[in-house]
Amino acid sequence: MGAPGANPLRFGYGTNGLADLRLDDALALLADLGYDGVGLTLDHMHLDPMASDLAARTGRVARRLEALGLDVTVETGARYVLDPRRKHGPSLLDADPADRARRVDLLIRAVRVAADLGANAVHCFSGITPAGTDPDTAWKRLAESLEPVLEAATAAGVPLAVEPEPGHLLATLADFHRLRQTLGDAEHLGLTLDIGHCQCLEPLSPADCVRAAAPWLRHVQIEDMRRSIHEHLPFGDGDIDFPPVLAALAATGYQGLTVVELPRHSHAGPHQAELSLPFLRTAARQPTPPVAPPPGEPSATPAGSTP
């Protein structure tokens, strides 16, 4: 994978890109194709986090994952699971404390599901800053909202993996470090790194982003993308050079799943899942030359320390 002794990568596929399939069918498909795991988005069509019998449903999914030999990371990016009229609403940044509490409750439910599934991590994001909200207020709401989620994650022993999302308050790796430092470098606060987002807006290359983010990496999403355009694309349709990215990821010793995220391609989900795994495996086998550590801030310091 481009570096002697590099860690073999394990690939998954996100259920948000298989939304037209029943969850059981989606899991069977991924196992048949040879995936190592699944990025499970909690949503009404799959594992509904608001269902009254959530614990029983989670138990059935856990048994199915075990029978199929699939690992799992829990994702919380469902568009309308809390509000049928507002995409990703309510968020952790909303002005109404009751609305923020609904998102906090969803994330705590996700932590419990992840613990019951034996998941690698729980993914989440900040949300878009509401109109008329100043940045300092938005950051204060984000930190305060995440405190009880982190408490639940710590108690459950499940890392919380925050994703920098283009257009959100927390959009970049630098923003993640601002949150991390605000929350006192909490042990169970980690990072979801979306490789496409790195290509879209980070100043570093995607491979350098991987190296810079390595100490905090708890979940990875991957797809193709073009510079400055936030559009998740099938592999080969964007600008990313994947062999160096996968070599950098393998060299970090990352133990989690690298999950394909194509949420707008559910109409062709089984086909994209079939194409994506061979592409990634081929790219991961291609040798890449050694590289110098990435320039700039923040440097890759051990987890639990402050750069």
Side-chain angles (χ1 to χ4, degrees), residues 15 23 40-58 61 74-83 102-114 117 122:
T15 59
L23 180 57
L40 176 57
T41 295
L42 302 183
D43 208 347
H44 64 89
M45 80 290 287
H46 288 148
L47 185 55
D48 186 349
M50 311 312 293
S52 59
D53 59 344
L54 177 59
R57 294 187 187 198
T58 302
V61 173
V74 170
E75 301 192 353
T76 61
R79 293 184 179 96
Y80 297 102
V81 71
L82 290 178
D83 188 331
R102 291 177 62 204
R103 177 62 60 172
V104 169
D105 174 69
L106 173 67
L107 295 180
I108 291 174
R109 286 169 181 257
V111 168
R112 293 172 185 151
V113 169
L117 295 179
V122 170

Side-chain angles (χ1 to χ4, degrees), residues 5-221:
N7 185 58
L9 297 177
R10 300 186 304 130
F11 297 114
Y13 200 93
T15 59
N16 61 0
L18 297 169
D20 295 315
L21 276 66
R22 297 178 181 87
L23 180 57
D24 193 65
D25 291 338
L27 297 179
L29 170 72
L30 298 181
D32 288 345
L33 291 175
Y35 281 91
D36 300 293
V38 59
L40 176 57
T41 295
L42 302 183
D43 208 347
H44 64 89
M45 80 290 287
H46 288 148
L47 185 55
D48 186 349
M50 311 312 293
S52 59
D53 59 344
L54 177 59
R57 294 187 187 198
T58 302
R60 289 194 292 270
V61 173
R63 292 188 291 274
R64 185 63 171 153
L65 289 167
E66 183 177 9
L68 293 171
L70 292 173
D71 202 356
V72 62
T73 297
V74 170
E75 301 192 353
T76 61
R79 293 184 179 96
Y80 297 102
V81 71
L82 290 178
D83 188 331
R85 293 175 176 83
R86 187 159 55 119
K87 181 181 177 183
H88 294 148
S91 83
L92 299 173
L93 309 179
D94 282 11
D96 187 341
D99 281 344
R100 296 199 301 273
R102 291 177 62 204
R103 177 62 60 172
V104 169
D105 174 69
L106 173 67
L107 295 180
I108 291 174
R109 286 169 181 257
V111 168
R112 293 172 185 151
V113 169
D116 290 344
L117 295 179
N120 298 304
V122 170
H123 147 279
C124 70
F125 45 70
S126 67
I128 297 171
T129 304
T133 303
D134 67 87
D136 287 344
T137 297
W139 280 105
K140 183 173 184 289
R141 289 176 186 168
L142 178 61
E144 290 177 351
S145 295
L146 284 178
E147 284 176 353
V149 183
L150 271 172
E151 289 177 8
T154 300
V158 177
L160 186 67
V162 180
E163 179 187 8
E165 180 79 24
H168 284 210
L169 174 69
L170 197 156
T172 65
L173 287 173
D175 292 334
F176 166 74
H177 285 287
R178 174 174 177 169
L179 175 67
R180 181 177 62 82
Q181 292 164 359
T182 299
L183 291 174
D185 213 10
E187 180 183 357
H188 279 78
L189 180 65
L191 172 71
T192 291
L193 188 69
D194 187 305
I195 301 302
H197 296 173
C198 296
Q199 176 71 15
C200 179
L201 53 70
E202 292 285 355
L204 298 175
S205 72
D208 282 344
C209 284
V210 168
R211 284 183 279 268
W216 303 277
L217 210 52
R218 301 296 178 266
H219 183 43
V220 175
Q221 296 170 339

